[in-house]
Amino acid sequence: MTLAVLKAVAARFPTQNVIFHGGEPTMFGASPIREAISVLGNRDYSIQSNLMNVPKGIGSIVREYCGGIVGTSFDYSRIPYLPSWISNVYSLITKGIKVYVVITVTDDFSATSLEYYISVLAQAGISGFQLQFVTPINTAPISMDKYREIYNALISHPLNRTAKKMLLALNSGCGQLAVNGGNCARNGVRTIEPNGDVYVCPDFAGQKIFKLGNVLDESFDDGPGNPNNAIFYERERNLVLSCDEDCWTVCQGGCVSFTYFNQKNCASERDPFCRMYKRIIADAA
């Protein structure tokens, strides 16, 4: 990301928290992060990385600016690299860094295999994990039966933050905490590509039909008046009329990107896990 883009981001989003996505393929070094922070100024920062590489000095960055926390991810493709990946995770933990893991769950996993890998992560000292039941690009969603099997097997695990989020959502009525739900255009989260292109979330990055504009364009406005935001508000209007009120409070129509990548129509179709959300909500009530 160029200095011009960073300055434009700082000016257009002066108060938003910033997540540095340091992964796919590798995390960039500590110096570029410090330089970016010097431009972006005083705000909350966090780092999400695949941790296939841990650059020198990144620990001090995390402690100084990111609350001593790093997020990472684990999926089936990571298994061949498990020893080296765990070594990198452990190296941060031994430096006093808390590591949280997003586990992308597909049909490649069984409840038993996931319990094994989570035990390995627990032995390494992770502070928690969250289950993500889909890989949105070119991958079919996990089967409903497998979803329920894995969710029920892990819901009570002491490190499982997924279950805690679901229960918190049910108790507070804050659906954003539950199942990747809500209107992405409304919640203010944005993904900025290195060239300054703006998207509502990382999953839509590069999907030009969802591009909201570019931070270097002085006329750019990503509010409700932006025509590229129209599909998100249309989806909200279409689904709120046909969803059960109790379910809507929790999932708010589910994830727009999951729906798009699996059904190609996110203006009126529900999240592919809609029926599973209803079963989980009913079980937890």
Side-chain angles (χ1 to χ4, degrees), residues 189-193 195 197-202 204-213:
V189 175
R190 296 292 179 261
T191 293
I192 316 295
E193 290 198 316
N195 67 353
D197 286 346
V198 182
Y199 296 87
V200 294
C201 78
F204 280 141
Q207 303 292 317
K208 298 304 181 184
I209 63 170
F210 294 107
K211 176 182 169 181
L212 299 179

mmCIF file of all heavy atoms in Angstrom, residues 189-193 195 197-202 204-213:
data_model
loop_
_atom_site.group_PDB
_atom_site.id
_atom_site.type_symbol
_atom_site.label_atom_id
_atom_site.label_comp_id
_atom_site.label_asym_id
_atom_site.label_seq_id
_atom_site.Cartn_x
_atom_site.Cartn_y
_atom_site.Cartn_z
ATOM 1 N N VAL A 189 -17.885 -1.790 8.574
ATOM 2 C CA VAL A 189 -16.633 -2.506 8.340
ATOM 3 C C VAL A 189 -16.244 -2.363 6.872
ATOM 4 O O VAL A 189 -17.085 -2.515 5.984
ATOM 5 C CB VAL A 189 -16.792 -4.001 8.701
ATOM 6 C CG1 VAL A 189 -15.532 -4.773 8.353
ATOM 7 C CG2 VAL A 189 -17.118 -4.145 10.179
ATOM 8 N N ARG A 190 -14.988 -2.086 6.614
ATOM 9 C CA ARG A 190 -14.526 -1.919 5.239
ATOM 10 C C ARG A 190 -13.184 -2.630 5.044
ATOM 11 O O ARG A 190 -12.383 -2.729 5.980
ATOM 12 C CB ARG A 190 -14.356 -0.426 4.899
ATOM 13 C CG ARG A 190 -15.659 0.365 4.937
ATOM 14 C CD ARG A 190 -16.611 -0.035 3.823
ATOM 15 N NE ARG A 190 -17.861 0.700 3.865
ATOM 16 C CZ ARG A 190 -18.996 0.227 4.386
ATOM 17 N NH1 ARG A 190 -19.006 -0.978 4.948
ATOM 18 N NH2 ARG A 190 -20.094 0.947 4.369
ATOM 19 N N THR A 191 -12.959 -3.107 3.824
ATOM 20 C CA THR A 191 -11.677 -3.699 3.439
ATOM 21 C C THR A 191 -11.050 -2.815 2.370
ATOM 22 O O THR A 191 -11.701 -2.499 1.364
ATOM 23 C CB THR A 191 -11.871 -5.121 2.884
ATOM 24 O OG1 THR A 191 -12.322 -5.974 3.933
ATOM 25 C CG2 THR A 191 -10.554 -5.670 2.335
ATOM 26 N N ILE A 192 -9.812 -2.411 2.605
ATOM 27 C CA ILE A 192 -9.101 -1.549 1.655
ATOM 28 C C ILE A 192 -7.996 -2.363 0.990
ATOM 29 O O ILE A 192 -7.112 -2.890 1.669
ATOM 30 C CB ILE A 192 -8.463 -0.327 2.358
ATOM 31 C CG1 ILE A 192 -9.431 0.307 3.357
ATOM 32 C CG2 ILE A 192 -7.986 0.681 1.316
ATOM 33 C CD1 ILE A 192 -10.649 0.911 2.772
ATOM 34 N N GLU A 193 -8.036 -2.461 -0.335
ATOM 35 C CA GLU A 193 -6.973 -3.151 -1.061
ATOM 36 C C GLU A 193 -5.760 -2.220 -1.199
ATOM 37 O O GLU A 193 -5.881 -0.995 -1.030
ATOM 38 C CB GLU A 193 -7.479 -3.591 -2.430
ATOM 39 C CG GLU A 193 -8.499 -4.722 -2.356
ATOM 40 C CD GLU A 193 -8.650 -5.417 -3.690
ATOM 41 O OE1 GLU A 193 -8.726 -4.721 -4.727
ATOM 42 O OE2 GLU A 193 -8.687 -6.661 -3.697
ATOM 43 N N ASN A 195 -4.320 -0.947 -3.630
ATOM 44 C CA ASN A 195 -4.481 0.147 -4.598
ATOM 45 C C ASN A 195 -5.535 1.159 -4.170
ATOM 46 O O ASN A 195 -5.804 2.124 -4.888
ATOM 47 C CB ASN A 195 -4.825 -0.406 -5.983
ATOM 48 C CG ASN A 195 -6.202 -1.074 -6.018
ATOM 49 O OD1 ASN A 195 -6.851 -1.247 -4.988
ATOM 50 N ND2 ASN A 195 -6.630 -1.474 -7.205
ATOM 51 N N ASP A 197 -8.838 0.418 -3.485
ATOM 52 C CA ASP A 197 -10.210 -0.028 -3.731
ATOM 53 C C ASP A 197 -10.863 -0.441 -2.413
ATOM 54 O O ASP A 197 -10.223 -1.050 -1.545
ATOM 55 C CB ASP A 197 -10.246 -1.205 -4.705
ATOM 56 C CG ASP A 197 -9.967 -0.785 -6.135
ATOM 57 O OD1 ASP A 197 -10.000 0.430 -6.418
ATOM 58 O OD2 ASP A 197 -9.721 -1.674 -6.984
ATOM 59 N N VAL A 198 -12.150 -0.115 -2.270
ATOM 60 C CA VAL A 198 -12.871 -0.339 -1.016
ATOM 61 C C VAL A 198 -13.979 -1.367 -1.218
ATOM 62 O O VAL A 198 -14.745 -1.284 -2.183
ATOM 63 C CB VAL A 198 -13.487 0.969 -0.488
ATOM 64 C CG1 VAL A 198 -14.192 0.739 0.840
ATOM 65 C CG2 VAL A 198 -12.416 2.047 -0.350
ATOM 66 N N TYR A 199 -14.058 -2.338 -0.288
ATOM 67 C CA TYR A 199 -15.107 -3.359 -0.288
ATOM 68 C C TYR A 199 -15.692 -3.451 1.117
ATOM 69 O O TYR A 199 -15.077 -3.021 2.094
ATOM 70 C CB TYR A 199 -14.542 -4.716 -0.715
ATOM 71 C CG TYR A 199 -14.029 -4.741 -2.131
ATOM 72 C CD1 TYR A 199 -12.721 -4.356 -2.415
ATOM 73 C CD2 TYR A 199 -14.847 -5.121 -3.186
ATOM 74 C CE1 TYR A 199 -12.243 -4.355 -3.721
ATOM 75 C CE2 TYR A 199 -14.378 -5.132 -4.491
ATOM 76 C CZ TYR A 199 -13.086 -4.750 -4.750
ATOM 77 O OH TYR A 199 -12.613 -4.752 -6.036
ATOM 78 N N VAL A 200 -16.885 -4.048 1.219
ATOM 79 C CA VAL A 200 -17.513 -4.127 2.542
ATOM 80 C C VAL A 200 -16.869 -5.173 3.435
ATOM 81 O O VAL A 200 -16.978 -5.096 4.658
ATOM 82 C CB VAL A 200 -19.025 -4.420 2.441
ATOM 83 C CG1 VAL A 200 -19.760 -3.277 1.785
ATOM 84 C CG2 VAL A 200 -19.286 -5.727 1.716
ATOM 85 N N CYS A 201 -16.201 -6.178 2.861
ATOM 86 C CA CYS A 201 -15.560 -7.196 3.696
ATOM 87 C C CYS A 201 -14.453 -7.888 2.903
ATOM 88 O O CYS A 201 -14.422 -7.805 1.676
ATOM 89 C CB CYS A 201 -16.574 -8.225 4.211
ATOM 90 S SG CYS A 201 -17.063 -9.479 3.015
ATOM 91 N N PRO A 202 -13.542 -8.591 3.575
ATOM 92 C CA PRO A 202 -12.425 -9.237 2.869
ATOM 93 C C PRO A 202 -12.872 -10.262 1.837
ATOM 94 O O PRO A 202 -12.220 -10.422 0.800
ATOM 95 C CB PRO A 202 -11.632 -9.917 3.998
ATOM 96 C CG PRO A 202 -11.981 -9.162 5.229
ATOM 97 C CD PRO A 202 -13.406 -8.728 5.056
ATOM 98 N N PHE A 204 -15.253 -10.164 -0.238
ATOM 99 C CA PHE A 204 -15.662 -9.548 -1.500
ATOM 100 C C PHE A 204 -14.512 -8.831 -2.204
ATOM 101 O O PHE A 204 -14.690 -8.345 -3.326
ATOM 102 C CB PHE A 204 -16.795 -8.553 -1.260
ATOM 103 C CG PHE A 204 -18.147 -9.191 -1.112
ATOM 104 C CD1 PHE A 204 -19.040 -8.706 -0.178
ATOM 105 C CD2 PHE A 204 -18.522 -10.260 -1.904
ATOM 106 C CE1 PHE A 204 -20.295 -9.290 -0.041
ATOM 107 C CE2 PHE A 204 -19.767 -10.847 -1.775
ATOM 108 C CZ PHE A 204 -20.660 -10.360 -0.842
ATOM 109 N N ALA A 205 -13.358 -8.728 -1.568
ATOM 110 C CA ALA A 205 -12.223 -8.034 -2.189
ATOM 111 C C ALA A 205 -11.908 -8.657 -3.539
ATOM 112 O O ALA A 205 -11.788 -9.866 -3.676
ATOM 113 C CB ALA A 205 -11.004 -8.096 -1.274
ATOM 114 N N GLY A 206 -11.793 -7.823 -4.556
ATOM 115 C CA GLY A 206 -11.513 -8.296 -5.911
ATOM 116 C C GLY A 206 -12.748 -8.612 -6.721
ATOM 117 O O GLY A 206 -12.660 -8.762 -7.949
ATOM 118 N N GLN A 207 -13.911 -8.720 -6.075
ATOM 119 C CA GLN A 207 -15.170 -8.943 -6.791
ATOM 120 C C GLN A 207 -15.701 -7.576 -7.217
ATOM 121 O O GLN A 207 -16.357 -6.879 -6.457
ATOM 122 C CB GLN A 207 -16.175 -9.668 -5.890
ATOM 123 C CG GLN A 207 -15.695 -10.984 -5.332
ATOM 124 C CD GLN A 207 -15.543 -12.045 -6.419
ATOM 125 O OE1 GLN A 207 -16.390 -12.174 -7.293
ATOM 126 N NE2 GLN A 207 -14.476 -12.797 -6.346
ATOM 127 N N LYS A 208 -15.402 -7.183 -8.436
ATOM 128 C CA LYS A 208 -15.599 -5.800 -8.863
ATOM 129 C C LYS A 208 -17.052 -5.336 -8.780
ATOM 130 O O LYS A 208 -17.310 -4.144 -8.623
ATOM 131 C CB LYS A 208 -15.074 -5.609 -10.288
ATOM 132 C CG LYS A 208 -13.574 -5.864 -10.427
ATOM 133 C CD LYS A 208 -12.751 -4.995 -9.482
ATOM 134 C CE LYS A 208 -11.259 -5.230 -9.624
ATOM 135 N NZ LYS A 208 -10.455 -4.473 -8.646
ATOM 136 N N ILE A 209 -18.022 -6.263 -8.841
ATOM 137 C CA ILE A 209 -19.413 -5.831 -8.754
ATOM 138 C C ILE A 209 -19.743 -5.332 -7.351
ATOM 139 O O ILE A 209 -20.755 -4.651 -7.153
ATOM 140 C CB ILE A 209 -20.390 -6.956 -9.151
ATOM 141 C CG1 ILE A 209 -20.277 -8.137 -8.179
ATOM 142 C CG2 ILE A 209 -20.179 -7.396 -10.571
ATOM 143 C CD1 ILE A 209 -21.381 -9.163 -8.392
ATOM 144 N N PHE A 210 -18.890 -5.660 -6.360
ATOM 145 C CA PHE A 210 -19.111 -5.200 -5.000
ATOM 146 C C PHE A 210 -18.163 -4.069 -4.597
ATOM 147 O O PHE A 210 -18.151 -3.651 -3.447
ATOM 148 C CB PHE A 210 -18.963 -6.361 -4.011
ATOM 149 C CG PHE A 210 -20.021 -7.418 -4.165
ATOM 150 C CD1 PHE A 210 -19.712 -8.640 -4.719
ATOM 151 C CD2 PHE A 210 -21.321 -7.175 -3.770
ATOM 152 C CE1 PHE A 210 -20.683 -9.611 -4.865
ATOM 153 C CE2 PHE A 210 -22.306 -8.140 -3.910
ATOM 154 C CZ PHE A 210 -21.980 -9.365 -4.466
ATOM 155 N N LYS A 211 -17.381 -3.590 -5.543
ATOM 156 C CA LYS A 211 -16.458 -2.504 -5.242
ATOM 157 C C LYS A 211 -17.244 -1.226 -4.949
ATOM 158 O O LYS A 211 -18.117 -0.815 -5.716
ATOM 159 C CB LYS A 211 -15.521 -2.277 -6.430
ATOM 160 C CG LYS A 211 -14.573 -1.099 -6.272
ATOM 161 C CD LYS A 211 -13.719 -0.931 -7.534
ATOM 162 C CE LYS A 211 -12.956 0.384 -7.509
ATOM 163 N NZ LYS A 211 -12.150 0.570 -8.743
ATOM 164 N N LEU A 212 -16.949 -0.582 -3.813
ATOM 165 C CA LEU A 212 -17.656 0.624 -3.415
ATOM 166 C C LEU A 212 -17.022 1.890 -3.980
ATOM 167 O O LEU A 212 -17.656 2.944 -4.016
ATOM 168 C CB LEU A 212 -17.705 0.733 -1.887
ATOM 169 C CG LEU A 212 -18.419 -0.411 -1.156
ATOM 170 C CD1 LEU A 212 -18.375 -0.172 0.336
ATOM 171 C CD2 LEU A 212 -19.845 -0.551 -1.650
ATOM 172 N N GLY A 213 -15.764 1.781 -4.401
ATOM 173 C CA GLY A 213 -15.052 2.940 -4.898
ATOM 174 C C GLY A 213 -13.590 2.853 -4.524
ATOM 175 O O GLY A 213 -13.074 1.776 -4.214
#
